């Protein structure tokens, strides 16, 4: 019997993928990170250094609601 393999989409990702989520190169992301954090961007996990994609998406949605005046 063959084991079924399921693709797992990680929720916590390294800086390169967090940068990609924002449409940035990792170098640009790292340069902007202090400013992003000062605006409430979710910090990386202190143990793994990974970023939570759901938290990033939530931050982006909240930022958009403030700009658009809804929510």
């Amino acid at each position: 019997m063959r084991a079924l393999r399921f693709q797992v989409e990680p929720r916590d990702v390294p800086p390169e993928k967090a940068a990609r989520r924002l449409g940035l190169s990792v170098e640009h992301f790292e340069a902007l990170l202090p400013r992003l954090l000062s605006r409430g961007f979710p910090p990386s996990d202190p143990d793994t250094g990974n970023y939570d994609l759901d938290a990033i998406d939530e931050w982006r949605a909240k930022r958009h609601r403030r700009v658009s005046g809804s929510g």
Side-chain angles (χ1 to χ4, degrees), residues 14-26:
E16 297 80 17
K17 291 189 178 187
R20 192 175 317 144
R21 186 64 139 226
L22 298 176
L24 303 171
S25 68
V26 70

Side-chain angles (χ1 to χ4, degrees), residues 4-67:
L4 292 176
R5 293 190 140 207
F6 296 95
Q7 185 169 346
V8 175
E9 292 293 327
R11 183 171 145 177
D12 285 0
V13 297
E16 297 80 17
K17 291 189 178 187
R20 192 175 317 144
R21 186 64 139 226
L22 298 176
L24 303 171
S25 68
V26 70
E27 295 82 12
H28 195 192
F29 173 70
E30 289 173 350
L32 291 175
L33 190 55
R35 288 177 48 195
L36 292 169
L37 291 170
S38 75
R39 293 175 43 219
F41 186 80
S44 65
D45 180 88
D47 294 319
T48 66
N50 288 337
Y51 291 86
D52 182 333
L53 287 178
D54 289 349
I56 291 172
D57 290 343
E58 185 176 322
W59 176 80
R60 292 170 65 214
K62 286 179 183 176
R63 180 192 64 190
H64 177 68
R65 281 193 292 271
R66 277 198 305 266
V67 171

